[in-house]
Each structure stands twice: as C-alpha cells, then as structure tokens.
Amino acid sequence: MTRTLLITGASSGIGAATAEAAARAGWQVALMARSADRLEALAARIGPSALALPGDVTQEAEIRRAVAATVERFGALDAAFANAGRGANAPGVETGDPGDWRGMIDLNILGLLLTAHATLPELRKTRGTLVLTGSSAGRNHMKGSVYGATKWFVHGLAGNLAEEMRDWGGRCGVVAPGMVDTPFFDKGAPGKLDPADVAAAVMQMIEAPERASIREVYLMPQNRSE
C-alpha cells in the first residue's frame, strides 16, 4: 500500500533530502515551503508521486489548505515531518534583535504547533507518525542562544505529543541533529552531517514497525564535539 508523507520546509536541505529518500522508498510526498520555485523544481525531479504546496506554516489557513490538498490528491496522510525552522541573525540575548526573535519564534514554535494542529486529525485516521525537527541545541545549553531555547520547546512538545497521540495509536518523535551541511550553517565549518543522514533517521522513524515508537534520534558529526 502506498503511503503519504507531508514535509514542511521541504524546498532544500533536510526537507528536500527527506522528500527524495521517501520517494525512493515508495512514499507519495506533499512538499510545503515558502520558496515556490525551488519547491516546484524538487517536485518535478521526484515526479508524479510529489505534490508542491507553496505556503507559509505560520499562517493557519495555509497549512490547513496544504493538508486538505494532500488528502485530496493522495487519499490520506500517513506521516508528517514538521521541519520548517530558522535560526537567529545575531547570537545572545543582550546583543540580539527582538524583531528577529519574533520571526524565528513564529516559525520555530507557532509554525510547528499549527502544523501539528492541522495534521493530527488526518494522522489519527491512519494511526500515523509525526516527526519534528529538533536540534542538538535543544539538548544542550548554549551561551545566550534564543534559537536553542526554541529547540528545547520542540523537544518538550515532541514528548507531550507522543503521549497525546499514543491514546489513538499514533506516534511522535524528534530528530535532533548537530551541524548539517545546509545553508543554515556556515559553509566554512568542517565535519558536518549530510542532509541525507538526517533523512535516513526520519525514514527510520516513520517506517518503524507499529509496535515501536522511536521518540528521538540524536545525530552528531563523528569528528565534531558540538
């Protein structure tokens, strides 16, 4: 039976790598991101099993439209990967930009909540799986990191959602990578994970046998200590 995965933040990096890995594994993929051009190009590369859904996860109506379009096209939703997120432009609290924090919190926290709120009714029907993108920054204290604090929220929410979804046979987990070779990080930093490494972890979580709930996968570059 063909299964369907909805990915937010799908146009590049971890989201795009997961879309390609899922498609290779036989999944239908619904792809949501704000970058319409890159999203359309990714869907074209994957082929008929991909649906491009340009939109902003911080807007409730847009994520709801994306979920509805996914179910209309593919018939059901078996898994969702709430991957959209971003960092802060300046480190630290004293030196940070409150306006920038607002945009980051809207995406990393509110966008995540809206994605879960919109996908859970459909995941309930399939006893599906929700995966959230956390971070090593959500497991370790980092000097003055407001971004890291948003990821601590993600890790806490993942555990709370796992208990909520468990009541009806659903699963929730968080994938927590260290530095990944994406535009999110400085290209000069050596020894990063590849987006495909994170994609493989997501696939393990959504394809695990029903008896197993993988609540966290923590990935670190082997030759780095962050």
Side-chain angles (χ1 to χ4, degrees):
M1 181 179 67
T2 304
R3 293 166 293 177
T4 300
L5 168 66
L6 170 66
I7 302 170
T8 68
S11 61
S12 64
I14 292 168
T18 303
E20 292 170 336
R24 287 194 299 271
W27 287 70
Q28 299 167 140
V29 289
L31 313 172
M32 186 177 184
R34 288 179 288 191
S35 178
D37 290 346
R38 284 188 295 180
L39 205 62
E40 295 285 357
L42 175 62
R45 287 200 307 273
I46 292 174
S49 64
L51 173 64
L53 298 165
D56 182 348
V57 297
T58 69
Q59 303 302 311
E60 184 178 4
E62 294 188 26
I63 182 62
R64 288 196 175 281
R65 278 198 298 269
V67 172
T70 300
V71 173
E72 181 179 3
R73 168 75 174 269
F74 296 125
L77 183 64
D78 301 281
F81 181 27
N83 172 64
R86 71 169 181 87
N89 291 331
V93 174
E94 183 179 359
T95 57
D97 176 358
D100 182 51
W101 296 340
R102 196 166 281 113
M104 179 178 64
I105 290 167
D106 276 353
L107 183 56
N108 293 7
I109 293 180
L110 180 61
L112 184 76
L113 286 167
L114 292 175
T115 300
H117 189 60
T119 57
L120 284 177
E122 295 300 330
L123 292 174
R124 178 188 285 267
K125 296 173 186 177
T126 59
R127 298 175 64 184
T129 302
L130 175 62
V131 178
L132 315 182
T133 296
S135 172
S136 62
R139 302 179 90 257
N140 302 288
H141 291 288
M142 300 172 64
K143 183 171 61 177
S145 177
V146 179
Y147 164 77
T150 70
K151 291 302 183 178
W152 279 77
F153 174 89
V154 173
H155 282 245
L157 180 65
N160 293 350
L161 277 171
E163 291 302 315
E164 179 178 345
M165 296 173 68
R166 187 180 186 185
D167 287 345
W168 41 264
R171 303 180 295 189
C172 182
V174 58
V175 59
M179 282 193 174
V180 184
D181 189 10
T182 72
F184 186 91
F185 290 110
D186 180 359
K187 290 185 180 296
K192 292 175 284 191
L193 294 163
D194 190 271
D197 301 327
V198 187
V202 175
M203 294 306 300
Q204 181 186 14
M205 297 170 88
I206 66 175
E207 293 196 318
E210 288 187 7
R211 65 179 178 273
S213 177
I214 302 175
R215 296 207 173 181
E216 181 177 346
V217 177
Y218 181 31
L219 301 171
M220 293 298 290
Q222 181 66 8
N223 61 342
R224 290 184 64 85
S225 59
E226 84 282 352

